[in-house]
mmCIF file of all heavy atoms in Angstrom:
data_model
loop_
_atom_site.group_PDB
_atom_site.id
_atom_site.type_symbol
_atom_site.label_atom_id
_atom_site.label_comp_id
_atom_site.label_asym_id
_atom_site.label_seq_id
_atom_site.Cartn_x
_atom_site.Cartn_y
_atom_site.Cartn_z
ATOM 1 N N TYR H 1 107.233 108.134 102.970
ATOM 2 C CA TYR H 1 106.835 109.531 102.899
ATOM 3 C C TYR H 1 106.208 109.963 104.338
ATOM 4 O O TYR H 1 105.473 109.255 104.751
ATOM 5 C CB TYR H 1 105.729 109.766 101.777
ATOM 6 C CG TYR H 1 105.219 111.211 101.813
ATOM 7 C CD1 TYR H 1 105.953 112.224 101.342
ATOM 8 C CD2 TYR H 1 104.074 111.423 102.394
ATOM 9 C CE1 TYR H 1 105.482 113.520 101.399
ATOM 10 C CE2 TYR H 1 103.470 112.774 102.451
ATOM 11 C CZ TYR H 1 104.181 113.693 101.791
ATOM 12 O OH TYR H 1 103.775 115.134 101.929
ATOM 13 N N ALA H 2 106.718 111.087 104.729
ATOM 14 C CA ALA H 2 106.227 111.499 106.081
ATOM 15 C C ALA H 2 105.784 112.932 106.001
ATOM 16 O O ALA H 2 106.350 113.755 105.184
ATOM 17 C CB ALA H 2 107.219 111.351 107.051
ATOM 18 N N ARG H 3 104.863 113.479 106.789
ATOM 19 C CA ARG H 3 104.380 114.802 106.738
ATOM 20 C C ARG H 3 103.837 115.250 108.160
ATOM 21 O O ARG H 3 103.229 114.373 108.919
ATOM 22 C CB ARG H 3 103.284 115.001 105.759
ATOM 23 C CG ARG H 3 102.871 116.507 105.628
ATOM 24 C CD ARG H 3 101.966 116.699 104.380
ATOM 25 N NE ARG H 3 101.721 118.003 104.134
ATOM 26 C CZ ARG H 3 102.499 119.019 103.598
ATOM 27 N NH1 ARG H 3 103.627 118.566 103.092
ATOM 28 N NH2 ARG H 3 102.193 120.292 103.470
ATOM 29 N N LYS H 4 104.140 116.310 108.528
ATOM 30 C CA LYS H 4 103.559 117.081 109.774
ATOM 31 C C LYS H 4 102.123 117.328 109.420
ATOM 32 O O LYS H 4 101.769 117.961 108.483
ATOM 33 C CB LYS H 4 104.309 118.240 110.121
ATOM 34 C CG LYS H 4 105.777 117.941 110.610
ATOM 35 C CD LYS H 4 106.545 119.181 111.050
ATOM 36 C CE LYS H 4 107.961 118.938 111.462
ATOM 37 N NZ LYS H 4 108.602 120.250 111.929
ATOM 38 N N LEU H 5 101.207 117.012 110.390
ATOM 39 C CA LEU H 5 99.871 117.482 110.386
ATOM 40 C C LEU H 5 99.468 118.758 111.055
ATOM 41 O O LEU H 5 100.444 119.248 111.850
ATOM 42 C CB LEU H 5 98.977 116.262 111.076
ATOM 43 C CG LEU H 5 99.048 114.959 110.384
ATOM 44 C CD1 LEU H 5 98.322 113.859 111.039
ATOM 45 C CD2 LEU H 5 98.513 115.071 108.885
ATOM 46 N N PRO H 6 98.470 119.449 110.719
ATOM 47 C CA PRO H 6 98.156 120.691 111.326
ATOM 48 C C PRO H 6 98.164 120.770 112.833
ATOM 49 O O PRO H 6 98.511 121.760 113.355
ATOM 50 C CB PRO H 6 96.767 121.065 110.794
ATOM 51 C CG PRO H 6 96.755 120.284 109.471
ATOM 52 C CD PRO H 6 97.477 118.904 109.703
ATOM 53 N N LEU H 7 97.803 119.634 113.501
ATOM 54 C CA LEU H 7 97.877 119.586 114.974
ATOM 55 C C LEU H 7 99.348 119.557 115.367
ATOM 56 O O LEU H 7 100.079 118.606 115.065
ATOM 57 C CB LEU H 7 97.092 118.360 115.453
ATOM 58 C CG LEU H 7 97.114 118.145 116.930
ATOM 59 C CD1 LEU H 7 96.401 119.283 117.739
ATOM 60 C CD2 LEU H 7 96.433 116.764 117.299
ATOM 61 N N ASP H 8 99.697 120.408 116.195
ATOM 62 C CA ASP H 8 101.039 120.618 116.669
ATOM 63 C C ASP H 8 101.480 119.262 117.313
ATOM 64 O O ASP H 8 100.875 118.873 118.175
ATOM 65 C CB ASP H 8 101.199 121.725 117.456
ATOM 66 C CG ASP H 8 102.628 122.095 117.969
ATOM 67 O OD1 ASP H 8 103.587 121.811 117.001
ATOM 68 O OD2 ASP H 8 103.015 122.375 118.972
ATOM 69 N N GLY H 9 102.617 118.742 116.856
ATOM 70 C CA GLY H 9 103.113 117.548 117.436
ATOM 71 C C GLY H 9 102.696 116.207 116.870
ATOM 72 O O GLY H 9 103.260 115.167 117.308
ATOM 73 N N LEU H 10 101.779 116.313 115.962
ATOM 74 C CA LEU H 10 101.304 115.061 115.235
ATOM 75 C C LEU H 10 101.851 114.852 113.978
ATOM 76 O O LEU H 10 101.759 115.795 113.052
ATOM 77 C CB LEU H 10 99.696 115.121 115.281
ATOM 78 C CG LEU H 10 98.952 113.806 114.693
ATOM 79 C CD1 LEU H 10 99.373 112.546 115.478
ATOM 80 C CD2 LEU H 10 97.491 114.110 114.540
ATOM 81 N N ASN H 11 102.497 113.716 113.593
ATOM 82 C CA ASN H 11 102.965 113.480 112.310
ATOM 83 C C ASN H 11 102.586 112.130 111.811
ATOM 84 O O ASN H 11 102.137 111.230 112.602
ATOM 85 C CB ASN H 11 104.576 113.410 112.379
ATOM 86 C CG ASN H 11 105.064 114.749 113.132
ATOM 87 O OD1 ASN H 11 104.791 115.818 112.880
ATOM 88 N ND2 ASN H 11 105.995 114.398 114.073
ATOM 89 N N PHE H 12 102.478 111.899 110.479
ATOM 90 C CA PHE H 12 102.245 110.628 109.973
ATOM 91 C C PHE H 12 103.150 110.266 108.871
ATOM 92 O O PHE H 12 103.770 111.113 108.204
ATOM 93 C CB PHE H 12 100.661 110.560 109.608
ATOM 94 C CG PHE H 12 100.589 111.151 107.963
ATOM 95 C CD1 PHE H 12 100.491 110.213 106.909
ATOM 96 C CD2 PHE H 12 100.559 112.515 107.757
ATOM 97 C CE1 PHE H 12 100.453 110.687 105.589
ATOM 98 C CE2 PHE H 12 100.434 112.882 106.522
ATOM 99 C CZ PHE H 12 100.329 111.997 105.279
ATOM 100 N N GLY H 13 103.287 108.918 108.527
ATOM 101 C CA GLY H 13 104.017 108.502 107.426
ATOM 102 C C GLY H 13 103.448 107.116 106.844
ATOM 103 O O GLY H 13 102.801 106.516 107.549
ATOM 104 N N VAL H 14 103.959 106.889 105.559
ATOM 105 C CA VAL H 14 103.506 105.751 105.004
ATOM 106 C C VAL H 14 104.701 105.048 104.210
ATOM 107 O O VAL H 14 105.622 105.760 103.808
ATOM 108 C CB VAL H 14 102.370 105.985 103.888
ATOM 109 C CG1 VAL H 14 101.052 106.347 104.681
ATOM 110 C CG2 VAL H 14 102.745 107.129 102.912
ATOM 111 N N ASN H 15 104.649 103.799 104.162
ATOM 112 C CA ASN H 15 105.656 103.031 103.389
ATOM 113 C C ASN H 15 104.921 102.317 102.231
ATOM 114 O O ASN H 15 103.931 101.666 102.457
ATOM 115 C CB ASN H 15 106.412 102.026 104.312
ATOM 116 C CG ASN H 15 107.302 102.567 105.215
ATOM 117 O OD1 ASN H 15 107.835 103.733 105.018
ATOM 118 N ND2 ASN H 15 107.487 101.920 106.310
ATOM 119 N N ALA H 16 105.685 102.133 101.147
ATOM 120 C CA ALA H 16 105.216 101.295 99.948
ATOM 121 C C ALA H 16 106.416 100.301 99.834
ATOM 122 O O ALA H 16 107.548 100.726 99.638
ATOM 123 C CB ALA H 16 105.035 102.041 98.753
ATOM 124 N N LYS H 17 106.027 98.887 99.961
ATOM 125 C CA LYS H 17 107.091 98.006 100.037
ATOM 126 C C LYS H 17 107.122 97.017 98.878
ATOM 127 O O LYS H 17 105.956 96.734 98.381
ATOM 128 C CB LYS H 17 107.062 97.111 101.264
ATOM 129 C CG LYS H 17 107.202 97.967 102.586
ATOM 130 C CD LYS H 17 107.113 97.005 103.772
ATOM 131 C CE LYS H 17 105.772 96.230 103.942
ATOM 132 N NZ LYS H 17 105.750 95.427 105.201
ATOM 133 N N VAL H 18 108.295 96.757 98.225
ATOM 134 C CA VAL H 18 108.390 95.796 97.171
ATOM 135 C C VAL H 18 109.206 94.568 97.810
ATOM 136 O O VAL H 18 110.304 94.746 98.039
ATOM 137 C CB VAL H 18 108.894 96.285 95.894
ATOM 138 C CG1 VAL H 18 109.099 95.280 94.817
ATOM 139 C CG2 VAL H 18 108.042 97.458 95.422
ATOM 140 N N ILE H 19 108.667 93.443 97.746
ATOM 141 C CA ILE H 19 109.412 92.219 98.343
ATOM 142 C C ILE H 19 109.790 91.255 97.093
ATOM 143 O O ILE H 19 109.027 90.972 96.341
ATOM 144 C CB ILE H 19 108.467 91.365 99.318
ATOM 145 C CG1 ILE H 19 107.960 92.433 100.446
ATOM 146 C CG2 ILE H 19 109.267 90.428 99.905
ATOM 147 C CD1 ILE H 19 108.924 93.020 101.247
ATOM 148 N N ARG H 20 111.027 90.828 97.114
ATOM 149 C CA ARG H 20 111.525 89.958 96.183
ATOM 150 C C ARG H 20 112.181 88.902 96.943
ATOM 151 O O ARG H 20 113.197 89.068 97.690
ATOM 152 C CB ARG H 20 112.607 90.699 95.253
ATOM 153 C CG ARG H 20 113.332 89.780 94.214
ATOM 154 C CD ARG H 20 112.332 89.151 93.283
ATOM 155 N NE ARG H 20 112.999 88.382 92.151
ATOM 156 C CZ ARG H 20 112.396 87.722 91.301
ATOM 157 N NH1 ARG H 20 111.082 87.355 91.435
ATOM 158 N NH2 ARG H 20 113.019 87.097 90.315
ATOM 159 N N ARG H 21 111.922 87.621 96.681
ATOM 160 C CA ARG H 21 112.382 86.495 97.314
ATOM 161 C C ARG H 21 112.906 85.355 96.309
ATOM 162 O O ARG H 21 112.118 85.039 95.419
ATOM 163 C CB ARG H 21 111.461 85.791 98.334
ATOM 164 C CG ARG H 21 110.836 86.792 99.333
ATOM 165 C CD ARG H 21 109.958 86.132 100.368
ATOM 166 N NE ARG H 21 110.813 85.354 101.227
ATOM 167 C CZ ARG H 21 110.185 84.533 102.199
ATOM 168 N NH1 ARG H 21 108.925 84.539 102.322
ATOM 169 N NH2 ARG H 21 111.009 83.860 103.036
ATOM 170 N N ILE H 22 114.143 84.991 96.541
ATOM 171 C CA ILE H 22 114.677 84.178 95.571
ATOM 172 C C ILE H 22 115.270 82.818 96.174
ATOM 173 O O ILE H 22 116.072 82.929 97.172
ATOM 174 C CB ILE H 22 115.851 84.800 94.717
ATOM 175 C CG1 ILE H 22 115.237 85.901 94.024
ATOM 176 C CG2 ILE H 22 116.437 83.809 93.659
ATOM 177 C CD1 ILE H 22 116.267 86.864 93.315
ATOM 178 N N ILE H 23 114.979 81.559 95.593
ATOM 179 C CA ILE H 23 115.657 80.387 96.097
ATOM 180 C C ILE H 23 116.398 79.718 94.891
ATOM 181 O O ILE H 23 115.718 78.938 94.255
ATOM 182 C CB ILE H 23 114.626 79.499 96.713
ATOM 183 C CG1 ILE H 23 113.826 80.286 97.730
ATOM 184 C CG2 ILE H 23 115.341 78.236 97.407
ATOM 185 C CD1 ILE H 23 112.592 79.287 98.324
ATOM 186 N N GLY H 24 117.559 80.292 94.640
ATOM 187 C CA GLY H 24 118.283 79.771 93.514
ATOM 188 C C GLY H 24 117.537 79.746 92.233
ATOM 189 O O GLY H 24 116.774 80.698 92.031
ATOM 190 N N ASP H 25 117.565 78.721 91.589
ATOM 191 C CA ASP H 25 116.705 78.567 90.313
ATOM 192 C C ASP H 25 115.288 77.740 90.580
ATOM 193 O O ASP H 25 114.621 77.540 89.732
ATOM 194 C CB ASP H 25 117.442 77.620 89.165
ATOM 195 C CG ASP H 25 118.692 78.500 88.725
ATOM 196 O OD1 ASP H 25 118.656 79.611 88.770
ATOM 197 O OD2 ASP H 25 119.729 77.893 88.360
ATOM 198 N N PHE H 26 115.138 77.372 91.886
ATOM 199 C CA PHE H 26 114.030 76.579 92.225
ATOM 200 C C PHE H 26 112.716 77.360 92.248
ATOM 201 O O PHE H 26 111.714 76.939 91.710
ATOM 202 C CB PHE H 26 114.305 75.977 93.579
ATOM 203 C CG PHE H 26 115.491 75.145 93.628
ATOM 204 C CD1 PHE H 26 116.673 75.481 94.163
ATOM 205 C CD2 PHE H 26 115.406 73.766 93.214
ATOM 206 C CE1 PHE H 26 117.810 74.706 94.119
ATOM 207 C CE2 PHE H 26 116.473 72.858 93.256
ATOM 208 C CZ PHE H 26 117.738 73.359 93.804
ATOM 209 N N ALA H 27 112.806 78.472 92.880
ATOM 210 C CA ALA H 27 111.636 79.307 93.022
ATOM 211 C C ALA H 27 111.936 80.870 93.315
ATOM 212 O O ALA H 27 112.997 81.088 93.803
ATOM 213 C CB ALA H 27 110.678 78.776 94.149
ATOM 214 N N SER H 28 110.980 81.609 92.974
ATOM 215 C CA SER H 28 111.136 83.144 93.360
ATOM 216 C C SER H 28 109.754 83.696 93.380
ATOM 217 O O SER H 28 108.646 83.227 93.063
ATOM 218 C CB SER H 28 111.921 83.792 92.220
ATOM 219 O OG SER H 28 111.082 83.780 90.960
ATOM 220 N N SER H 29 109.711 84.891 94.120
ATOM 221 C CA SER H 29 108.366 85.578 94.312
ATOM 222 C C SER H 29 108.512 87.023 94.295
ATOM 223 O O SER H 29 109.583 87.532 94.602
ATOM 224 C CB SER H 29 107.717 85.061 95.664
ATOM 225 O OG SER H 29 108.359 85.714 96.676
ATOM 226 N N TRP H 30 107.475 87.651 93.981
ATOM 227 C CA TRP H 30 107.263 89.215 94.150
ATOM 228 C C TRP H 30 106.197 89.435 95.184
ATOM 229 O O TRP H 30 105.168 88.756 95.188
ATOM 230 C CB TRP H 30 106.965 89.800 92.838
ATOM 231 C CG TRP H 30 108.159 89.847 91.801
ATOM 232 C CD1 TRP H 30 108.196 88.960 90.765
ATOM 233 C CD2 TRP H 30 109.029 90.782 91.803
ATOM 234 N NE1 TRP H 30 109.436 89.303 90.036
ATOM 235 C CE2 TRP H 30 109.902 90.463 90.635
ATOM 236 C CE3 TRP H 30 109.409 91.981 92.521
ATOM 237 C CZ2 TRP H 30 111.054 91.241 90.270
ATOM 238 C CZ3 TRP H 30 110.526 92.835 92.288
ATOM 239 C CH2 TRP H 30 111.378 92.310 91.157
ATOM 240 N N GLY H 31 106.312 90.469 95.897
ATOM 241 C CA GLY H 31 105.403 90.903 96.943
ATOM 242 C C GLY H 31 105.204 92.466 97.084
ATOM 243 O O GLY H 31 106.232 93.095 96.786
ATOM 244 N N PHE H 32 104.152 92.914 97.483
ATOM 245 C CA PHE H 32 103.673 94.217 97.532
ATOM 246 C C PHE H 32 102.951 94.497 98.787
ATOM 247 O O PHE H 32 102.044 93.729 99.200
ATOM 248 C CB PHE H 32 103.021 94.807 96.220
ATOM 249 C CG PHE H 32 103.768 94.503 95.039
ATOM 250 C CD1 PHE H 32 103.480 93.365 94.235
ATOM 251 C CD2 PHE H 32 104.645 95.465 94.507
ATOM 252 C CE1 PHE H 32 104.157 93.055 93.184
ATOM 253 C CE2 PHE H 32 105.294 95.154 93.264
ATOM 254 C CZ PHE H 32 105.069 93.937 92.592
ATOM 255 N N GLY H 33 103.192 95.699 99.434
ATOM 256 C CA GLY H 33 102.396 95.903 100.656
ATOM 257 C C GLY H 33 102.585 97.269 101.114
ATOM 258 O O GLY H 33 103.431 98.081 100.474
ATOM 259 N N LEU H 34 101.741 97.736 102.011
ATOM 260 C CA LEU H 34 101.903 99.185 102.653
ATOM 261 C C LEU H 34 102.022 99.131 104.278
ATOM 262 O O LEU H 34 101.395 98.125 104.819
ATOM 263 C CB LEU H 34 100.690 99.947 102.290
ATOM 264 C CG LEU H 34 100.431 100.171 100.727
ATOM 265 C CD1 LEU H 34 98.993 100.944 100.664
ATOM 266 C CD2 LEU H 34 101.485 101.032 100.203
ATOM 267 N N ASP H 35 102.664 100.030 104.721
ATOM 268 C CA ASP H 35 102.768 100.251 106.192
ATOM 269 C C ASP H 35 102.264 101.808 106.416
ATOM 270 O O ASP H 35 102.330 102.695 105.512
ATOM 271 C CB ASP H 35 104.074 100.163 106.724
ATOM 272 C CG ASP H 35 104.801 98.887 106.415
ATOM 273 O OD1 ASP H 35 104.084 97.818 106.325
ATOM 274 O OD2 ASP H 35 105.955 98.938 106.287
ATOM 275 N N ALA H 36 101.880 102.012 107.612
ATOM 276 C CA ALA H 36 101.478 103.360 107.991
ATOM 277 C C ALA H 36 101.753 103.608 109.529
ATOM 278 O O ALA H 36 101.722 102.719 110.326
ATOM 279 C CB ALA H 36 99.905 103.589 107.745
ATOM 280 N N GLY H 37 102.305 104.833 109.759
ATOM 281 C CA GLY H 37 102.649 105.057 111.062
ATOM 282 C C GLY H 37 102.212 106.586 111.639
ATOM 283 O O GLY H 37 102.155 107.275 110.539
ATOM 284 N N ILE H 38 102.048 106.789 112.793
ATOM 285 C CA ILE H 38 101.816 108.218 113.358
ATOM 286 C C ILE H 38 102.827 108.291 114.538
ATOM 287 O O ILE H 38 103.140 107.317 115.287
ATOM 288 C CB ILE H 38 100.385 108.393 113.714
ATOM 289 C CG1 ILE H 38 99.929 107.396 114.781
ATOM 290 C CG2 ILE H 38 99.542 108.390 112.367
ATOM 291 C CD1 ILE H 38 98.474 107.652 115.307
ATOM 292 N N GLN H 39 103.147 109.515 114.840
ATOM 293 C CA GLN H 39 103.675 109.897 116.081
ATOM 294 C C GLN H 39 103.146 111.265 116.623
ATOM 295 O O GLN H 39 102.682 111.997 115.905
ATOM 296 C CB GLN H 39 105.241 110.086 115.862
ATOM 297 C CG GLN H 39 106.154 108.922 115.581
ATOM 298 C CD GLN H 39 107.618 109.244 115.398
ATOM 299 O OE1 GLN H 39 108.048 110.356 114.991
ATOM 300 N NE2 GLN H 39 108.399 108.267 115.798
ATOM 301 N N PHE H 40 103.189 111.245 118.058
ATOM 302 C CA PHE H 40 102.683 112.391 118.661
ATOM 303 C C PHE H 40 103.415 112.736 119.889
ATOM 304 O O PHE H 40 103.804 111.886 120.625
ATOM 305 C CB PHE H 40 101.080 112.247 119.083
ATOM 306 C CG PHE H 40 100.607 113.416 119.743
ATOM 307 C CD1 PHE H 40 100.279 114.680 119.186
ATOM 308 C CD2 PHE H 40 100.308 113.300 121.196
ATOM 309 C CE1 PHE H 40 99.747 115.710 119.868
ATOM 310 C CE2 PHE H 40 99.830 114.402 121.849
ATOM 311 C CZ PHE H 40 99.596 115.608 121.220
ATOM 312 N N GLU H 41 103.891 114.087 120.101
ATOM 313 C CA GLU H 41 104.658 114.457 121.370
ATOM 314 C C GLU H 41 103.765 115.520 121.865
ATOM 315 O O GLU H 41 103.399 116.491 121.289
ATOM 316 C CB GLU H 41 105.909 114.984 120.931
ATOM 317 C CG GLU H 41 106.786 115.417 122.156
ATOM 318 C CD GLU H 41 108.213 115.773 121.703
ATOM 319 O OE1 GLU H 41 108.509 115.832 120.520
ATOM 320 O OE2 GLU H 41 109.007 116.180 122.562
ATOM 321 N N ASN H 42 103.531 115.379 123.221
ATOM 322 C CA ASN H 42 102.666 116.365 123.853
ATOM 323 C C ASN H 42 103.649 117.534 124.456
ATOM 324 O O ASN H 42 104.834 117.319 124.453
ATOM 325 C CB ASN H 42 101.805 115.774 124.965
ATOM 326 C CG ASN H 42 102.487 115.095 126.128
ATOM 327 O OD1 ASN H 42 103.799 115.335 126.332
ATOM 328 N ND2 ASN H 42 101.924 114.317 126.870
ATOM 329 N N LYS H 43 103.089 118.464 125.180
ATOM 330 C CA LYS H 43 103.824 119.613 125.569
ATOM 331 C C LYS H 43 104.745 119.199 126.694
ATOM 332 O O LYS H 43 105.793 119.854 127.084
ATOM 333 C CB LYS H 43 102.957 120.748 126.010
ATOM 334 C CG LYS H 43 102.331 121.274 124.846
ATOM 335 C CD LYS H 43 101.382 122.451 125.331
ATOM 336 C CE LYS H 43 100.557 123.087 124.107
ATOM 337 N NZ LYS H 43 99.684 124.185 124.567
ATOM 338 N N SER H 44 104.592 118.097 127.476
ATOM 339 C CA SER H 44 105.358 117.630 128.559
ATOM 340 C C SER H 44 106.511 116.747 128.067
ATOM 341 O O SER H 44 107.227 116.258 129.019
ATOM 342 C CB SER H 44 104.507 117.028 129.575
ATOM 343 O OG SER H 44 103.822 115.937 129.063
ATOM 344 N N GLY H 45 106.686 116.558 126.943
ATOM 345 C CA GLY H 45 107.655 115.819 126.303
ATOM 346 C C GLY H 45 107.401 114.271 126.044
ATOM 347 O O GLY H 45 108.290 113.533 125.708
ATOM 348 N N TRP H 46 106.216 113.751 126.486
ATOM 349 C CA TRP H 46 105.903 112.367 126.160
ATOM 350 C C TRP H 46 105.599 112.102 124.870
ATOM 351 O O TRP H 46 104.963 112.886 124.072
ATOM 352 C CB TRP H 46 104.693 111.977 127.076
ATOM 353 C CG TRP H 46 104.966 111.785 128.536
ATOM 354 C CD1 TRP H 46 104.790 112.720 129.587
ATOM 355 C CD2 TRP H 46 105.435 110.591 129.042
ATOM 356 N NE1 TRP H 46 105.157 112.194 130.752
ATOM 357 C CE2 TRP H 46 105.652 110.946 130.503
ATOM 358 C CE3 TRP H 46 105.913 109.346 128.645
ATOM 359 C CZ2 TRP H 46 106.064 109.918 131.428
ATOM 360 C CZ3 TRP H 46 106.334 108.415 129.581
ATOM 361 C CH2 TRP H 46 106.388 108.619 130.958
ATOM 362 N N LYS H 47 106.096 110.982 124.178
ATOM 363 C CA LYS H 47 106.035 110.753 122.934
ATOM 364 C C LYS H 47 105.252 109.431 122.610
ATOM 365 O O LYS H 47 105.523 108.452 123.378
ATOM 366 C CB LYS H 47 107.421 110.544 122.281
ATOM 367 C CG LYS H 47 108.260 111.764 122.210
ATOM 368 C CD LYS H 47 109.561 111.636 121.487
ATOM 369 C CE LYS H 47 110.350 112.868 121.555
ATOM 370 N NZ LYS H 47 111.703 112.746 120.908
#
């Protein structure tokens, strides 16, 4: 999910992750986690 913030040029986003790992019939796992990111672009074009 991503959204623009009130400050012009500033955006943020988040990830919700589900991890599934399988090794045949020997073993398996479930995992859960989050990521977060931001981006900003100024008036001169630097990001």
